[in-house]
Amino acid sequence: MNNYEWLDRKTPRSVDQLKLWPENPRLTPGEHHLTLADYAEDITSEDAEKIGFFDLAKAIAKQGFIPFDPIVVWQNPDNEKFYVAEGNRRVLILKLLRNPDKAPRQYRGFFRNLSLQISKASIAKVMVNVAPSFDESIWYINQRNNNSSLQRSWGRVQQQRWVSDLYTRYNGDLDIIKDITNIKQGELESIIRILKVKDFVSIPDVQALLDPEIREKAISRNFPITIIERILTPDVRDRWGLVFNGTEVEINSNKPSFYILFADLIKRIVLRDTEYKDLPGRITTRTVTTHLDEILGVLPQVNFEPENVEPETPPGADETPLSIMPEETVTPVVVTVQEQRAIVMNDPNRTFLIPDFYLINTTNHRLNELFVELQKIRMTYKNCIGASLRVLLDLAFLNYINNEGIEAALLLSYHKRHLREITLKKRIEYIKTNHLSDNIQTIAVRLLNEDGEYSLDVLNGYIHGTDIHYLTKPFLNQFWNFLFPLMVVLLDIREKNV
């Protein structure tokens, strides 16, 4: 029985010196977190988590840090640094309030404003409980986040990932894990098996069948893993050739056919509320029990044919007639994902202004939604797209001003009392002169040139003018391509992972 007297003792520790826990189950498995921005972006990757994170930050800034729940740390003997076992979100927020410039670019304005509301000295140190080792902090971590706890717990995927981490840490010793989690062996084995089934999405043959966005959602913390649990009845496992043995999962059917089925299953789960919402066999946590036969009917079939069986060669078939010359071998041209994306981006006749492999992450909900909508509105609606592009540029510069904390300097430069009194043209001029690199300055210069094709005047004409000369699909697409390097700076545009 461990001695947990350390939970009764608190000691002050520097917030800046505390290290965040890179294996925290709240984080996406397999991703590297080197900076505070990395941690903040991962923790806020889902809308619900983002709202909770920002609400907590605003509460701390307004009320000060109130240590209702313990912050539990342990000292790593290898580097003698103190790592946060419990309280990572709170410590991350304190770090960002003390150093808002270390926040993700899209959140810097938000944390700069909050940091002005709180004394940085008041959050320089926090009281923590120092566990003798990480192993001895595990009990508290489990109690704090167990589904049966009265306190706020992890989500189901996070709880299951925690069990999986313990399984790896203790080399599959279920007795130790049972003592830590108070979960029975049968349930532990079930959790580990389901996680292993879900992780089939990482198999290269399955990945090749899924779009990057689908794969990203399939490994996210909000993936409805209960659907996988409910659909894998004994009858379904037999039909698909899945064999459960303790914590092990084996595929006894033809693997290529199973991978096709599994990829389709993942796609239907991820897109259940969009593409498959009104189609037969829609997969939800409810329909997998009420309409299982209908779901199985729309999924691809698995076969049990042996893999890689060489066909028998008829007698004499290996003798090549002299009159038949071998055909010239044609090497297939392999086009990488990056090359495919470049082709789409450089196509002046593409269907959508902004290709769907780009994303932004911002606290400005309207800006984010407008960006996404311009990835979905077809170029048929050219007037709508032209006007929206002008609005997007305005919001992008405002976003940059907020994130970089330059509003005061901008107001001082133009002797204005309110930002709304400074036109977009003047905002562009100020940022061009004071904040843009030479190559991006060139874009801003052309944008400010009234006689140029790709100018602010042309964008203004989409809203106030009557000229339709510039309202063509190729011109609008090329205008976006012209603006793109500048927009990357203003909005921190990124490509979605492959």
Side-chain angles (χ1 to χ4, degrees):
M1 184 69 179
N2 289 334
N3 183 348
Y4 293 108
E5 290 181 0
W6 55 268
L7 275 172
D8 295 325
R9 298 190 298 270
K10 292 184 183 293
T11 184
R13 293 289 172 189
S14 166
V15 168
D16 295 338
Q17 296 301 316
L18 291 176
K19 300 294 183 182
L20 299 174
W21 179 25
E23 283 80 34
N24 187 343
R26 291 189 188 277
L27 302 174
T28 302
E31 290 193 2
H32 296 290
H33 302 84
L34 303 178
T35 66
L36 294 181
D38 292 337
Y39 282 96
E41 286 189 335
D42 196 349
I43 285 179
T44 60
S45 60
E46 303 292 343
D47 288 342
E49 296 291 341
K50 183 187 297 184
I51 292 171
F53 186 77
F54 289 161
D55 286 346
L56 179 58
K58 287 185 283 188
I60 292 175
K62 182 178 180 180
Q63 304 169 12
F65 181 70
I66 304 173
F68 287 122
D69 295 329
I71 292 176
V72 176
V73 305
W74 86 95
Q75 188 174 27
N76 187 327
D78 295 332
N79 58 17
E80 297 186 347
K81 303 290 186 182
F82 285 90
Y83 286 80
V84 181
E86 178 59 39
N88 280 268
R89 287 196 320 151
R90 287 169 283 158
V91 171
L92 174 57
I93 288 171
L94 294 176
K95 286 177 176 287
L96 294 178
L97 289 174
R98 287 182 52 76
N99 297 282
D101 288 344
K102 293 185 178 181
R105 184 173 180 177
Q106 64 272 22
Y107 302 158
R108 284 177 196 164
F110 173 80
F111 276 99
R112 282 196 186 105
N113 292 332
L114 290 185
S115 68
L116 297 175
Q117 302 174 31
I118 189 170
S119 165
K120 292 184 180 180
S122 70
I123 53 174
K125 291 186 177 182
V126 289
M127 302 301 291
V128 301
N129 296 93
V130 182
S133 67
F134 175 67
D135 284 345
E136 294 194 44
S137 70
I138 286 177
W139 174 86
Y140 182 79
I141 295 172
N142 183 72
Q143 292 301 311
R144 177 64 175 82
N145 297 285
N146 194 289
N147 287 333
S148 62
S149 170
L150 295 178
Q151 303 181 67
R152 183 179 178 183
S153 64
W154 290 323
R156 185 168 181 79
V157 173
Q158 296 162 0
Q159 177 72 22
Q160 292 180 325
R161 184 63 61 184
W162 171 238
V163 170
S164 179
D165 290 345
L166 293 176
Y167 180 78
T168 302
R169 184 178 185 82
Y170 294 110
N171 298 316
D173 192 328
L174 297 187
D175 290 332
I176 295 177
I177 303 173
K178 281 190 296 182
D179 288 341
I180 294 171
T181 63
N182 293 320
I183 299 176
K184 295 180 180 179
Q185 179 159 331
E187 186 178 352
L188 282 177
E189 291 177 349
S190 176
I191 289 174
I192 294 166
R193 288 195 304 260
I194 295 302
L195 281 170
K196 287 183 175 181
V197 171
K198 177 179 178 287
D199 286 345
F200 285 163
V201 77
S202 300
I203 296 174
D205 287 348
V206 176
Q207 288 186 345
L209 299 169
L210 296 171
D211 293 335
E213 187 174 358
I214 301 294
R215 295 201 302 267
E216 200 171 294
K217 291 181 178 179
I219 65 173
S220 74
R221 295 184 296 275
N222 284 355
F223 179 83
I225 197 168
T226 50
I227 293 179
I228 300 289
E229 290 180 288
R230 293 184 182 186
I231 202 170
L232 290 180
T233 64
D235 179 63
V236 170
R237 296 202 302 269
D238 288 343
R239 184 181 299 198
W240 292 351
L242 286 182
V243 177
F244 287 176
N245 182 17
T247 59
E248 298 302 317
V249 179
E250 297 178 6
I251 304 173
N252 285 349
S253 55
N254 177 274
K255 284 188 174 66
S257 69
F258 176 80
Y259 294 152
I260 292 172
L261 172 137
F262 189 77
D264 193 63
L265 174 66
I266 293 296
K267 183 178 180 180
R268 288 173 179 273
I269 292 174
V270 168
L271 301 177
R272 65 194 182 283
D273 294 325
T274 53
E275 290 187 21
Y276 295 94
K277 183 176 182 180
D278 299 316
L279 296 180
R282 180 175 178 240
I283 301 175
T284 67
T285 51
R286 184 172 54 189
T287 60
V288 290
T289 53
T290 59
H291 294 76
L292 181 58
D293 289 339
E294 184 180 3
I295 291 170
L296 296 177
V298 299
L299 290 171
Q301 298 300 305
V302 171
N303 66 64
F304 288 80
E305 296 176 2
E307 300 172 40
N308 303 321
V309 177
E310 295 290 338
E312 293 185 9
T313 304
D318 57 345
E319 299 175 6
T320 305
L322 295 177
S323 59
I324 301 177
M325 297 296 293
E327 295 183 2
E328 183 180 351
T329 301
V330 179
T331 304
V333 177
V334 179
V335 181
T336 66
V337 172
Q338 290 302 322
E339 290 171 334
Q340 291 174 353
R341 290 179 172 182
I343 291 171
V344 172
M345 188 64 176
N346 293 323
D347 181 7
N349 291 303
R350 62 178 179 268
T351 306
F352 302 98
L353 183 75
I354 305 178
D356 63 1
F357 45 78
Y358 290 117
L359 56 81
I360 60 173
N361 191 1
T362 174
T363 56
N364 187 322
H365 179 74
R366 184 182 174 205
L367 176 57
N368 188 68
E369 289 299 307
L370 181 58
F371 187 88
V372 172
E373 286 168 10
L374 283 171
Q375 294 177 312
K376 296 178 179 179
I377 302 174
R378 293 183 175 273
M379 293 300 293
T380 309
Y381 305 98
K382 296 184 288 292
N383 289 283
C384 177
I385 290 173
S388 296
L389 183 57
R390 169 59 177 80
V391 174
L392 182 69
L393 184 71
D394 202 330
L395 291 176
F397 271 95
L398 180 59
N399 179 74
Y400 185 84
I401 291 167
N402 289 334
N403 286 346
E404 297 302 317
I406 60 176
E407 180 177 346
L410 184 61
L411 294 173
L412 182 64
S413 177
Y414 288 107
H415 309 289
K416 300 293 183 182
R417 296 194 311 172
H418 300 290
L419 185 61
R420 63 176 176 269
E421 297 173 358
I422 301 177
T423 64
L424 176 58
K425 187 173 183 178
K426 290 183 177 179
R427 295 179 190 183
I428 297 174
E429 180 64 44
Y430 177 85
I431 291 172
K432 170 186 73 69
T433 305
N434 298 282
H435 292 274
L436 299 182
S437 60
D438 291 343
N439 60 322
I440 306 300
Q441 270 189 2
T442 303
I443 298 173
V445 169
R446 292 181 63 186
L447 193 58
L448 293 170
N449 180 7
E450 296 179 0
D451 298 325
E453 254 191 332
Y454 303 128
S455 68
L456 181 59
D457 278 17
V458 170
L459 288 177
N460 288 335
Y462 292 144
I463 298 176
H464 305 294
T466 58
D467 188 1
I468 62 171
H469 176 66
Y470 293 116
L471 277 173
T472 65
K473 179 194 291 187
F475 183 81
L476 286 167
N477 280 330
Q478 289 166 345
F479 205 140
W480 171 253
N481 288 5
F482 160 74
L483 287 174
F484 186 74
L486 173 63
M487 286 296 202
V488 169
V489 174
L490 300 177
L491 296 178
D492 195 20
I493 299 175
R494 303 181 186 185
E495 288 193 26
K496 295 178 181 178
N497 294 329
V498 177

